[in-house]
């Protein structure tokens, strides 16, 4: 592990120079109605095979139902978030004073869980608020769920992976940069992902093999082919080890890219990579519920989702890089390696 010299002056410089995306003017108070395309061009009775691992997935009818319920549950949680958009009191801190929990987080998770289980009562469910704080606990939680599903039959081999409010610190301070993230995995492969941004009424969705959409319209990753043209997002993580790795990366990565953004919501940064607003997003340590929905958005939008060794992301992966793929992805991983962020 390498900690850069002059870490705190650099951090102050970063905080002074990183422009927070202007979002207040785009706040939407009046809900709109969107028609989502739940149909596939393939026959509904045709099973899908993934491009990675040749894993047989599930029927088109089931995928339609999964997507519909994921969107409904996400929007219901989004309404709760909007109803408390002015900020929320902190119920307690979790891993440390930067890792927060409000009364609204478990309420959103309960709403999503009840909506899901009303339609799919036999499906497994993993929500952030079910798990004690710390990376060891979150890693153990996803491992236990995956092991449990190994013994399930095909009809019960579904796992819902949910972050009820991604960007809790933003939520606490009334920043409209927080939202639910909902994913469904079948036999360990994410097959449906939904990230609903209630503040801008943007619903990002993806189904394995069908591409990615925002409000029912196709989206794709950015077209940048060189790191110098890339807008790269990263986190301000609460854990000390991850914080040190983020600081180590900055002096190497910043001179190579167009700019860096810290938005404070993994879900939003992944969704924005999928629709090209950002070129890439990397993080040293994230849990499955932070990444699952965004991972399928990026892949279905034509991008790459890997760990920091360029191995394809899976539900056990904690060090992540999602990008538009190709040369930019390679260059970002090389820069992180140069900074000894491994």
């Amino acid at each position: 592990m390498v900690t850069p010299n002059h870490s705190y002056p650099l951090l102050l410089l970063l905080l002074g120079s990183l422009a927070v995306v202007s979002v207040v003017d785009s706040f939407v108070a009046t809900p709109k109605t969107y028609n989502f395309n739940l149909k596939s061009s393939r026959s509904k009775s045709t099973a899908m095979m993934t491009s990675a691992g040749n894993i047989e997935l599930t029927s088109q009818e089931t995928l339609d139902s999964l997507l519909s319920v994921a969107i409904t549950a996400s929007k219901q949680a989004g309404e709760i978030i909007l109803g408390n958009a002015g900020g929320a009191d902190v119920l307690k801190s979790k891993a440390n004073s930067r890792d927060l929990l409000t009364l609204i987080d478990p309420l959103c998770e309960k709403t999503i869980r009840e909506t899901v289980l009303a339609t799919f009562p036999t499906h497994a469910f993993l929500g952030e608020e079910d798990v004690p704080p710390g990376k060891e606990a979150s890693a153990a939680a996803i491992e236990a769920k995956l092991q449990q599903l190994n013994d399930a039959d095909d009809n019960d081999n579904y796992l819902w992976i949910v972050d009820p409010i991604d960007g809790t610190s933003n939520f606490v301070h009334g920043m409209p940069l927080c939202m639910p993230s909902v994913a469904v995995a079948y036999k360990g492969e994410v097959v449906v992902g939904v990230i609903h941004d209630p503040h801008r009424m943007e619903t990002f969705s993806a189904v394995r093999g069908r591409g990615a959409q925002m409000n029912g319209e196709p989206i794709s990753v950015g077209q940048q082919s060189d790191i110098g043209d890339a807008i790269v997002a990263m986190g301000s993580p609460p854990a000390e080890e991850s914080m040190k790795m983020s600081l180590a990366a900055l002096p190497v990565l910043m001179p190579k890219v167009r700019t860096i953004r810290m938005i404070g919501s993994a879900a939003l940064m992944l969704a924005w990579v999928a629709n090209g607003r950002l070129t890439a997003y990397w993080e040293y340590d994230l849990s499955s519920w932070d990444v699952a929905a965004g991972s399928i958005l990026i892949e279905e939008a034509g991008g790459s989702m890997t760990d920091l060794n360029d191995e394809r992301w899976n539900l056990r992966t904690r060090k992540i890089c999602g990008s538009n793929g190709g040369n930019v992805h390679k260059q970002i991983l090389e820069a992180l390696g140069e900074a000894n962020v491994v």
Side-chain angles (χ1 to χ4, degrees):
M1 182 183 301
V2 175
T3 302
N5 294 327
H6 312 301
S7 296
Y8 293 103
L10 176 61
L11 183 57
L12 290 174
L13 174 63
L14 174 67
L15 293 175
S17 62
L18 293 180
V20 176
V21 178
S22 176
V23 295
V24 176
D25 290 341
S26 64
F27 183 91
V28 179
T30 304
K32 299 178 182 178
T33 302
Y34 297 100
N35 294 318
F36 289 89
N37 178 16
L38 302 182
K39 305 299 182 183
S40 170
S41 60
R42 308 182 192 194
S43 167
K44 282 191 170 184
S45 62
T46 303
M48 295 193 308
M49 307 294 282
T50 69
S51 59
N54 207 36
I55 302 170
E56 185 174 350
L57 298 181
T58 189
S59 72
Q60 300 297 333
E61 295 97 331
T62 300
L63 288 170
D64 289 343
S65 296
L66 293 171
L67 177 60
S68 178
V69 171
I71 290 173
T72 298
S74 297
K75 288 189 171 184
Q76 289 174 344
E79 289 176 3
I80 297 172
I81 293 170
L82 273 186
N84 296 272
D89 292 333
V90 176
L91 179 63
K92 65 178 182 178
S93 58
K94 295 192 283 187
N96 54 48
S97 63
R98 298 179 298 277
D99 191 7
L100 306 178
L101 176 69
T102 75
L103 287 170
I104 309 303
D105 295 75
L107 177 59
C108 287
E109 183 167 310
K110 179 176 182 289
T111 298
I112 295 170
R113 182 195 299 270
E114 290 176 350
T115 301
V116 168
L117 296 183
T119 303
F120 302 108
T122 64
H123 287 191
F125 190 98
L126 176 62
E128 179 180 10
E129 307 314 325
D130 298 332
V131 181
K135 68 177 184 180
E136 292 81 7
S138 65
I142 187 64
E143 186 64 36
K145 289 292 184 182
L146 292 175
Q147 290 298 325
Q148 173 187 336
L149 292 176
N150 280 341
D151 301 326
D153 61 32
D154 285 355
N155 292 329
D156 293 330
N157 211 308
Y158 295 91
L159 173 62
W160 292 74
I161 306 152
V162 172
D163 190 342
I165 305 179
D166 189 79
T168 300
S169 292
N170 291 342
F171 177 62
V172 166
H173 292 277
M175 299 182 194
L177 296 162
C178 48
M179 63 213 60
S181 177
V182 177
V184 190
Y186 178 68
K187 296 184 177 180
E189 176 82 11
V190 178
V191 294
V192 170
V194 173
I195 295 174
H196 173 62
D197 180 352
H199 307 287
R200 280 158 290 279
M201 293 303 295
E202 293 180 343
T203 303
F204 299 87
S205 63
V207 174
R208 184 68 63 190
R210 297 189 191 176
Q213 298 183 337
M214 186 186 80
N215 293 342
E217 297 298 324
I219 58 174
S220 60
V221 295
Q223 299 302 306
Q224 298 81 12
S225 60
D226 184 78
I227 192 172
D229 298 321
I231 298 180
V232 177
M234 56 185 288
S236 176
E240 183 176 355
E241 181 184 20
S242 299
M243 184 190 304
K244 289 179 178 179
M245 290 294 99
S246 295
L247 289 170
L250 283 171
V252 177
L253 195 57
M254 276 191 87
K256 298 179 186 293
V257 303
R258 174 164 292 167
T259 189
I260 287 178
R261 292 289 181 265
M262 292 180 178
I263 298 172
S265 166
L268 188 60
M269 289 184 276
L270 291 165
W272 283 7
V273 171
N275 80 342
R277 291 173 184 165
L278 296 169
T279 314
Y281 166 52
W282 80 274
E283 193 88 53
Y284 188 74
D285 186 65
L286 288 176
S287 298
S288 57
W289 49 76
D290 297 313
V291 186
S295 72
I296 188 172
L297 285 173
I298 289 177
E299 288 188 334
E300 289 297 316
S304 296
M305 191 75 202
T306 75
D307 64 13
L308 300 186
N309 293 315
D310 205 21
E311 297 293 329
R312 183 176 179 257
W313 182 90
N314 63 67
L315 289 172
R316 295 181 174 91
T317 304
R318 299 194 64 86
K319 303 174 184 180
I320 69 107
C321 182
S323 80
N324 68 342
N327 193 48
V328 170
H329 196 88
K330 175 184 176 183
Q331 290 174 320
I332 290 172
L333 294 182
E334 287 175 348
L336 294 174
E338 183 181 339
N340 290 324
V341 177
V342 294

